Short mmCIF file of all heavy atoms in Angstrom, two decimals:
data_model
loop_
_atom_site.label_atom_id
_atom_site.label_comp_id
_atom_site.label_asym_id
_atom_site.label_seq_id
_atom_site.Cartn_x
_atom_site.Cartn_y
_atom_site.Cartn_z
N SER A 104 -4.56 13.71 -6.81
CA SER A 104 -4.98 15.10 -6.68
C SER A 104 -3.92 16.00 -6.04
O SER A 104 -4.17 17.18 -5.80
CB SER A 104 -6.28 15.18 -5.86
OG SER A 104 -6.09 14.65 -4.55
N ASN A 105 -2.74 15.46 -5.75
CA ASN A 105 -1.65 16.25 -5.19
C ASN A 105 -0.42 16.12 -6.07
O ASN A 105 0.08 15.01 -6.27
CB ASN A 105 -1.32 15.79 -3.77
CG ASN A 105 -2.35 16.22 -2.75
OD1 ASN A 105 -2.27 17.29 -2.15
ND2 ASN A 105 -3.37 15.38 -2.56
N GLY A 106 0.05 17.24 -6.57
CA GLY A 106 1.19 17.20 -7.48
C GLY A 106 2.51 17.62 -6.88
O GLY A 106 3.53 17.63 -7.58
N ASP A 107 2.53 17.96 -5.59
CA ASP A 107 3.80 18.33 -4.97
C ASP A 107 4.60 17.09 -4.60
O ASP A 107 4.04 16.02 -4.35
CB ASP A 107 3.58 19.22 -3.75
CG ASP A 107 2.78 18.50 -2.67
OD1 ASP A 107 1.58 18.30 -2.86
OD2 ASP A 107 3.38 18.12 -1.63
N LEU A 108 5.91 17.23 -4.51
CA LEU A 108 6.79 16.09 -4.27
C LEU A 108 6.48 15.39 -2.95
O LEU A 108 6.42 14.16 -2.88
CB LEU A 108 8.25 16.55 -4.30
CG LEU A 108 9.30 15.46 -4.07
CD1 LEU A 108 9.21 14.39 -5.15
CD2 LEU A 108 10.70 16.08 -4.03
N GLY A 109 6.28 16.18 -1.89
CA GLY A 109 5.99 15.60 -0.59
C GLY A 109 4.72 14.77 -0.60
O GLY A 109 4.68 13.66 -0.06
N GLY A 110 3.67 15.30 -1.21
CA GLY A 110 2.40 14.58 -1.28
C GLY A 110 2.52 13.31 -2.09
O GLY A 110 1.96 12.27 -1.74
N MET A 111 3.27 13.37 -3.18
CA MET A 111 3.44 12.19 -4.02
C MET A 111 4.19 11.09 -3.28
O MET A 111 3.87 9.91 -3.39
CB MET A 111 4.16 12.57 -5.31
CG MET A 111 3.35 13.49 -6.23
SD MET A 111 4.25 14.01 -7.70
CE MET A 111 4.31 12.46 -8.59
N ILE A 112 5.20 11.49 -2.50
CA ILE A 112 5.95 10.50 -1.72
C ILE A 112 5.08 9.91 -0.62
O ILE A 112 5.02 8.68 -0.44
CB ILE A 112 7.21 11.14 -1.10
CG1 ILE A 112 8.20 11.53 -2.20
CG2 ILE A 112 7.87 10.18 -0.11
CD1 ILE A 112 9.39 12.33 -1.69
N LEU A 113 4.39 10.78 0.13
CA LEU A 113 3.58 10.32 1.26
C LEU A 113 2.44 9.41 0.82
O LEU A 113 2.32 8.26 1.30
CB LEU A 113 3.01 11.54 2.01
CG LEU A 113 2.11 11.21 3.21
CD1 LEU A 113 2.92 10.53 4.31
CD2 LEU A 113 1.45 12.48 3.74
N PHE A 114 1.61 9.89 -0.08
CA PHE A 114 0.45 9.11 -0.50
C PHE A 114 0.86 7.91 -1.36
O PHE A 114 0.22 6.85 -1.31
CB PHE A 114 -0.54 10.00 -1.25
CG PHE A 114 -0.98 11.18 -0.43
CD1 PHE A 114 -0.81 12.49 -0.88
CD2 PHE A 114 -1.55 11.00 0.82
CE1 PHE A 114 -1.20 13.57 -0.12
CE2 PHE A 114 -1.96 12.08 1.60
CZ PHE A 114 -1.78 13.37 1.12
N GLY A 115 1.94 8.07 -2.13
CA GLY A 115 2.45 6.95 -2.90
C GLY A 115 2.94 5.83 -2.01
O GLY A 115 2.74 4.64 -2.29
N ALA A 116 3.58 6.19 -0.88
CA ALA A 116 4.08 5.19 0.05
C ALA A 116 2.93 4.40 0.67
O ALA A 116 3.01 3.17 0.80
CB ALA A 116 4.91 5.86 1.15
N PHE A 117 1.85 5.10 1.04
CA PHE A 117 0.69 4.40 1.60
C PHE A 117 0.04 3.49 0.57
O PHE A 117 -0.42 2.39 0.90
CB PHE A 117 -0.33 5.41 2.14
CG PHE A 117 -0.08 5.85 3.54
CD1 PHE A 117 0.54 7.06 3.80
CD2 PHE A 117 -0.46 5.04 4.61
CE1 PHE A 117 0.78 7.46 5.11
CE2 PHE A 117 -0.22 5.44 5.92
CZ PHE A 117 0.40 6.64 6.18
N LEU A 118 -0.02 3.93 -0.70
CA LEU A 118 -0.61 3.11 -1.73
C LEU A 118 0.22 1.85 -1.98
O LEU A 118 -0.33 0.74 -2.08
CB LEU A 118 -0.75 3.91 -3.03
CG LEU A 118 -1.39 3.18 -4.22
CD1 LEU A 118 -2.78 2.69 -3.86
CD2 LEU A 118 -1.45 4.10 -5.44
N VAL A 119 1.53 2.01 -2.06
CA VAL A 119 2.41 0.85 -2.25
C VAL A 119 2.27 -0.11 -1.08
O VAL A 119 2.18 -1.34 -1.28
CB VAL A 119 3.88 1.31 -2.41
CG1 VAL A 119 4.82 0.11 -2.34
CG2 VAL A 119 4.07 2.05 -3.71
N TYR A 120 2.24 0.44 0.14
CA TYR A 120 2.09 -0.43 1.30
C TYR A 120 0.78 -1.21 1.24
O TYR A 120 0.74 -2.41 1.51
CB TYR A 120 2.14 0.38 2.60
CG TYR A 120 1.64 -0.41 3.78
CD1 TYR A 120 2.39 -1.45 4.31
CD2 TYR A 120 0.37 -0.15 4.34
CE1 TYR A 120 1.91 -2.22 5.36
CE2 TYR A 120 -0.11 -0.92 5.38
CZ TYR A 120 0.67 -1.94 5.90
OH TYR A 120 0.19 -2.71 6.92
N GLY A 121 -0.31 -0.52 0.89
CA GLY A 121 -1.61 -1.19 0.83
C GLY A 121 -1.63 -2.33 -0.17
O GLY A 121 -2.17 -3.40 0.10
N VAL A 122 -1.01 -2.11 -1.33
CA VAL A 122 -0.97 -3.15 -2.36
C VAL A 122 -0.09 -4.32 -1.92
O VAL A 122 -0.47 -5.49 -2.02
CB VAL A 122 -0.44 -2.56 -3.69
CG1 VAL A 122 -0.20 -3.67 -4.70
CG2 VAL A 122 -1.42 -1.54 -4.25
N VAL A 123 1.11 -4.00 -1.40
CA VAL A 123 2.05 -5.05 -0.98
C VAL A 123 1.49 -5.85 0.19
O VAL A 123 1.60 -7.08 0.24
CB VAL A 123 3.41 -4.44 -0.62
CG1 VAL A 123 4.34 -5.49 0.01
CG2 VAL A 123 4.07 -3.84 -1.86
N ASP A 124 0.88 -5.17 1.15
CA ASP A 124 0.34 -5.87 2.31
C ASP A 124 -0.82 -6.78 1.91
O ASP A 124 -0.99 -7.87 2.47
CB ASP A 124 -0.11 -4.87 3.37
CG ASP A 124 -0.33 -5.54 4.72
OD1 ASP A 124 0.56 -6.30 5.16
OD2 ASP A 124 -1.38 -5.32 5.33
N ARG A 125 -1.62 -6.34 0.94
CA ARG A 125 -2.72 -7.19 0.46
C ARG A 125 -2.18 -8.46 -0.18
O ARG A 125 -2.73 -9.56 0.00
CB ARG A 125 -3.59 -6.41 -0.54
CG ARG A 125 -4.80 -7.21 -1.04
CD ARG A 125 -5.76 -7.47 0.10
NE ARG A 125 -6.89 -8.28 -0.30
CZ ARG A 125 -6.92 -9.62 -0.29
NH1 ARG A 125 -5.86 -10.31 0.12
NH2 ARG A 125 -8.01 -10.25 -0.66
N ILE A 126 -1.08 -8.34 -0.92
CA ILE A 126 -0.45 -9.51 -1.52
C ILE A 126 0.08 -10.43 -0.43
O ILE A 126 -0.05 -11.66 -0.50
CB ILE A 126 0.70 -9.07 -2.46
CG1 ILE A 126 0.14 -8.31 -3.66
CG2 ILE A 126 1.51 -10.28 -2.91
CD1 ILE A 126 1.19 -7.67 -4.53
N ALA A 127 0.66 -9.82 0.63
CA ALA A 127 1.24 -10.60 1.72
C ALA A 127 0.17 -11.40 2.46
O ALA A 127 0.36 -12.58 2.76
CB ALA A 127 1.98 -9.68 2.69
N VAL A 128 -0.97 -10.75 2.77
CA VAL A 128 -2.01 -11.48 3.51
C VAL A 128 -2.64 -12.56 2.64
O VAL A 128 -3.06 -13.62 3.14
CB VAL A 128 -3.10 -10.52 4.05
CG1 VAL A 128 -2.52 -9.55 5.05
CG2 VAL A 128 -3.81 -9.77 2.93
N LYS A 129 -2.69 -12.34 1.33
CA LYS A 129 -3.23 -13.36 0.44
C LYS A 129 -2.31 -14.58 0.40
O LYS A 129 -2.76 -15.72 0.41
CB LYS A 129 -3.40 -12.78 -0.97
CG LYS A 129 -4.10 -13.73 -1.94
CD LYS A 129 -4.36 -13.05 -3.28
CE LYS A 129 -5.11 -13.98 -4.21
NZ LYS A 129 -5.40 -13.33 -5.52
N ARG A 130 -1.00 -14.32 0.39
CA ARG A 130 -0.04 -15.42 0.40
C ARG A 130 -0.11 -16.21 1.70
O ARG A 130 0.16 -17.41 1.71
CB ARG A 130 1.37 -14.88 0.18
CG ARG A 130 1.66 -14.45 -1.25
CD ARG A 130 3.08 -13.96 -1.40
NE ARG A 130 3.39 -13.64 -2.79
CZ ARG A 130 4.55 -13.16 -3.21
NH1 ARG A 130 5.52 -12.94 -2.34
NH2 ARG A 130 4.74 -12.89 -4.49
N ARG A 131 -0.45 -15.54 2.79
CA ARG A 131 -0.56 -16.23 4.08
C ARG A 131 -1.86 -17.01 4.18
O ARG A 131 -2.09 -17.74 5.13
CB ARG A 131 -0.50 -15.21 5.24
CG ARG A 131 0.83 -14.54 5.42
CD ARG A 131 0.95 -13.94 6.82
NE ARG A 131 -0.11 -13.02 7.14
CZ ARG A 131 -0.06 -11.72 6.93
NH1 ARG A 131 1.01 -11.18 6.35
NH2 ARG A 131 -1.07 -10.93 7.27
N GLY A 132 -2.78 -16.80 3.21
CA GLY A 132 -4.07 -17.48 3.26
C GLY A 132 -5.05 -16.82 4.20
O GLY A 132 -6.03 -17.43 4.61
N ASP A 133 -4.80 -15.56 4.52
CA ASP A 133 -5.68 -14.82 5.43
C ASP A 133 -6.86 -14.28 4.63
O ASP A 133 -6.71 -13.39 3.81
CB ASP A 133 -4.89 -13.68 6.07
CG ASP A 133 -5.70 -12.89 7.08
OD1 ASP A 133 -6.91 -13.16 7.21
OD2 ASP A 133 -5.13 -12.01 7.73
N VAL A 134 -8.05 -14.83 4.87
CA VAL A 134 -9.23 -14.40 4.12
C VAL A 134 -10.04 -13.35 4.88
O VAL A 134 -11.16 -13.02 4.51
CB VAL A 134 -10.14 -15.60 3.77
CG1 VAL A 134 -9.40 -16.55 2.85
CG2 VAL A 134 -10.59 -16.33 5.03
N GLY A 135 -9.48 -12.84 5.97
CA GLY A 135 -10.16 -11.81 6.72
C GLY A 135 -11.45 -12.31 7.33
O GLY A 135 -11.50 -13.37 7.93
#
């Protein structure tokens, strides 16, 4: 819902982090 460059970088960074961190905790066997 945000088309400006700053918003795309900010929210995109959080989305990438969320996806990568989920992969990392799964690899560690962390089932929460």
